[in-house]
Amino acid sequence: MKKAGALLITLIFLSSLPLGATQTQEPRVIVEINPNLELFSVIYILAFNGSDPFIIAPKDYVQDVLTYFAPYKNHKAVEYMRKVLDTSYPLYYRDEAIMDLSSNLALLGYLPNETNPGELKLLAEFANESNFMKFYNAHRESYLESTSIVTPYLENIPELHRKFFGFTYQEYRVELSYSVRIHPHAVPNGKTAYCIGYALPGKYSKYKEPMFQQVITIFHEFTHPPVEDFLGENFKLFENKSYYLDEIRNQKPVTTPYDPLHFESFGRYFDEILTESLAEYFALKSGVPEDVIEFRSLQMSTELYPIQDFLREYEHCEETRKENETLFDYAPIMAEHMGKWATPENISEYFKMRTPITGGWAVDRIKYMGRVIIVYGTQNPDKSGTEYDRETAEKYKKDLEKFFILYYGSSPEIIVKADVNLTDDDLKENLILIGGPAANKITRELNDRLPITFVRDENGWSLKRNPGAFKDFHAFLVGNGDIREISLDSTIPRDGFIGTLQTIRNPWNEKNFIIVLAGLTRYGTRNISRNRPSEPSYIISGDNYTELGFYKQYSR
């Protein structure tokens, strides 16, 4: 049933149906702020009085909701929402519950026009009694602004699916909430594929880089169903490649059990690799800039480490394909190539060659070993600087404990020590160094081996990239809602508040890691210490400058 009052932005493009089928309708891509999802979101905002981690709408929109629907803040639907998604429940539980409900809502017609059981009946009653569609229609312009920015990049979905899978859906529907974060996911339904998720949060809606990431995510979700069909037919060609999953489990023994959706079986892991790499390839073919694709593929390589080899496979597939050949026909060649990239005997070497060093990898190792030492410097001739760095170390310890408890339920042992008190055995542990070479003697000893080195001249200290000490070094400038790759020779600004978080293998024990948190001044060190270890290999951050980068570190 067509959704009553829905804001439809419809793009119609020529494409082909599976071989032998009769084309009765041109495939189309539809992007909308779904009225049922927004009805749910309005009730959710009321249930938690506009303050909740899942609420992403602009503040003025949230206030409009609270004002317009104020007479209905104690409606049975609001009370029900407050009960079933109580804030005492873990975030992952609430996330899954919202996702499950959204799958039902997105596939239905506008609720007041449907016969609804249970909680859906409560939502329909709320919509009728509050005249929800009056509110929805009053915000059409905002909805249009949030959806129209992505539509030009989605026009190729039917053609790309036809080319790679020999199949297109009759409709590709992108069903979004404007104001509540819904975990993006796909729901195939007959001749229609649904991508259900959320529009860009208000503060990001005019920025290119988040918009491009959303485009790739939409490609990702739409590509899951045909990839599952591909694997259903061809998995036997790949099933002896499960050592790829075994290696990521070996390298990240803490992270992988926490994510069974991606790491529970080789089938799931391989599904995710193919889906993400195809999504990036499709996005590149649809006009998403190469720099964005390069950044995303490097970021995703921390978990889906064969991803860049698969990107090259798709290019080869297109170059060699004959008319009407698809990825199904190319599957034996892909399986053969995958067996040559790595074998069970050299998979560890392959992993290190394909995976950037990251703070996330170091975090996994720290949790697995159950211990990390935070080392503050004592070399600053100004003793107040030493005390300042010690306080930074103590604060970072508390923040790190909270981080581990939030994500893993418990924290490893975190010890704070002065650089002069480290033993030879301590040096072999996982370490977090606080302070640059002028303050911390361990940082000074490592300086020439860091990806971002500290250089001193007549004007004082500055930062410089050190690509010669690493492999496959990439630097990206982030700003004004955009991201672009920059020259490794470009200047990093001098700024008293600038600092860097960078991760390397521990040269005294290469199984472990060293994370360096250091600025050009003690204030830069304190500023960068607000960041937790994350997926980039390094971060450089100041008042008006943000740089993210990736590199690989291995010996052959």
Side-chain angles (χ1 to χ4, degrees), residues 345-463:
E345 291 71 33
N346 67 7
I347 186 64
S348 294
E349 180 181 357
Y350 175 84
F351 181 92
K352 292 175 182 178
M353 292 173 62
R354 291 295 183 270
T355 308
I357 297 291
T358 66
W361 195 353
V363 163
D364 189 288
R365 182 67 181 174
I366 289 168
K367 186 68 173 69
Y368 179 72
M369 296 302 294
R371 175 182 165 94
V372 65
I373 302 175
I374 300 178
V375 184
Y376 67 91
T378 61
Q379 308 304 298
N380 195 322
D382 179 355
K383 294 307 176 185
S384 65
T386 296
E387 179 60 19
Y388 193 86
D389 282 353
R390 187 193 66 77
E391 292 173 357
T392 299
E394 292 289 352
K395 183 178 185 304
Y396 199 73
K397 174 185 176 180
K398 293 179 181 178
D399 291 345
L400 205 56
E401 286 174 338
K402 292 178 182 177
F403 166 83
F404 276 108
I405 291 170
L406 176 63
Y407 283 93
Y408 300 106
S410 63
S411 175
E413 181 183 14
I414 303 176
I415 301 166
V416 175
K417 279 192 174 186
D419 54 0
V420 293
N421 293 333
L422 284 192
T423 66
D424 289 344
D425 285 340
D426 288 339
L427 287 172
K428 297 175 183 178
E429 301 261 9
N430 291 293
L431 304 176
I432 298 175
L433 307 182
I434 304 293
N440 192 312
K441 75 171 192 172
I442 310 301
T443 308
R444 182 169 66 239
E445 185 173 344
L446 292 173
N447 189 40
D448 291 342
R449 289 182 279 181
L450 294 177
I452 309 299
T453 61
F454 291 78
V455 180
R456 186 175 178 85
D457 59 23
E458 64 274 9
N459 296 314
W461 288 99
S462 62
L463 297 175

Side-chain angles (χ1 to χ4, degrees), residues 229-478:
D229 291 341
F230 172 83
L231 290 178
E233 186 171 321
N234 295 285
F235 187 68
K236 282 192 173 297
L237 295 171
F238 298 94
E239 63 182 350
N240 64 346
K241 309 296 189 299
S242 61
Y243 52 87
Y244 281 88
L245 173 61
D246 294 340
E247 185 60 22
I248 184 71
R249 286 173 171 171
N250 290 336
Q251 295 286 348
K252 298 188 176 180
V254 175
T255 302
T256 49
Y258 275 84
D259 189 358
L261 286 176
H262 296 142
F263 302 106
E264 185 176 60
S265 68
F266 178 62
R268 287 191 172 186
Y269 184 59
F270 192 41
D271 183 347
E272 199 63 29
I273 293 172
L274 288 178
T275 299
E276 174 59 29
S277 55
L278 278 164
E280 292 176 14
Y281 189 74
F282 292 166
L284 182 62
K285 292 293 183 178
S286 301
V288 174
E290 290 184 20
D291 288 1
V292 175
I293 301 298
E294 183 71 23
F295 180 85
R296 175 140 170 163
S297 66
L298 287 165
Q299 187 178 39
M300 291 294 182
S301 291
T302 62
E303 307 291 350
L304 309 176
Y305 61 104
I307 200 167
Q308 293 195 325
D309 279 319
F310 277 105
L311 287 170
R312 286 187 282 270
E313 279 298 290
Y314 305 138
E315 190 70 49
H316 186 262
C317 176
E318 283 211 272
E319 290 172 353
T320 60
R321 71 186 292 270
K322 298 176 183 178
E323 187 176 359
N324 296 327
E325 282 189 340
T326 68
L327 202 62
F328 288 77
D329 301 296
Y330 190 75
I333 299 173
M334 185 186 296
E336 179 185 355
H337 289 176
M338 192 175 178
K340 292 178 179 178
W341 300 340
T343 65
E345 291 71 33
N346 67 7
I347 186 64
S348 294
E349 180 181 357
Y350 175 84
F351 181 92
K352 292 175 182 178
M353 292 173 62
R354 291 295 183 270
T355 308
I357 297 291
T358 66
W361 195 353
V363 163
D364 189 288
R365 182 67 181 174
I366 289 168
K367 186 68 173 69
Y368 179 72
M369 296 302 294
R371 175 182 165 94
V372 65
I373 302 175
I374 300 178
V375 184
Y376 67 91
T378 61
Q379 308 304 298
N380 195 322
D382 179 355
K383 294 307 176 185
S384 65
T386 296
E387 179 60 19
Y388 193 86
D389 282 353
R390 187 193 66 77
E391 292 173 357
T392 299
E394 292 289 352
K395 183 178 185 304
Y396 199 73
K397 174 185 176 180
K398 293 179 181 178
D399 291 345
L400 205 56
E401 286 174 338
K402 292 178 182 177
F403 166 83
F404 276 108
I405 291 170
L406 176 63
Y407 283 93
Y408 300 106
S410 63
S411 175
E413 181 183 14
I414 303 176
I415 301 166
V416 175
K417 279 192 174 186
D419 54 0
V420 293
N421 293 333
L422 284 192
T423 66
D424 289 344
D425 285 340
D426 288 339
L427 287 172
K428 297 175 183 178
E429 301 261 9
N430 291 293
L431 304 176
I432 298 175
L433 307 182
I434 304 293
N440 192 312
K441 75 171 192 172
I442 310 301
T443 308
R444 182 169 66 239
E445 185 173 344
L446 292 173
N447 189 40
D448 291 342
R449 289 182 279 181
L450 294 177
I452 309 299
T453 61
F454 291 78
V455 180
R456 186 175 178 85
D457 59 23
E458 64 274 9
N459 296 314
W461 288 99
S462 62
L463 297 175
K464 186 177 181 180
R465 301 174 202 88
N466 184 23
F470 295 84
K471 298 176 176 68
D472 199 18
F473 201 119
H474 295 265
F476 297 86
L477 186 63
V478 180

Side-chain angles (χ1 to χ4, degrees), residues 29-32 146-147 149-155 157 161 172-176 184-187 193-200 210-226 275-276 278-280 282-283 296:
V29 180
I30 300 170
V31 183
E32 66 170 332
S146 70
T147 55
I149 57 175
V150 303
T151 54
Y153 298 94
L154 303 177
E155 63 183 48
I157 291 176
H161 277 194
Y172 293 82
R173 303 189 69 99
V174 183
E175 306 288 352
L176 305 174
H185 60 288
V187 179
Y194 292 83
C195 173
I196 303 168
Y198 59 93
L200 286 177
M211 181 267 289
F212 290 136
Q213 295 293 348
Q214 185 185 37
V215 168
I216 301 172
T217 297
I218 292 171
F219 272 113
H220 181 110
E221 299 306 334
F222 275 137
T223 302
H224 257 306
T275 299
E276 174 59 29
L278 278 164
E280 292 176 14
F282 292 166
R296 175 140 170 163

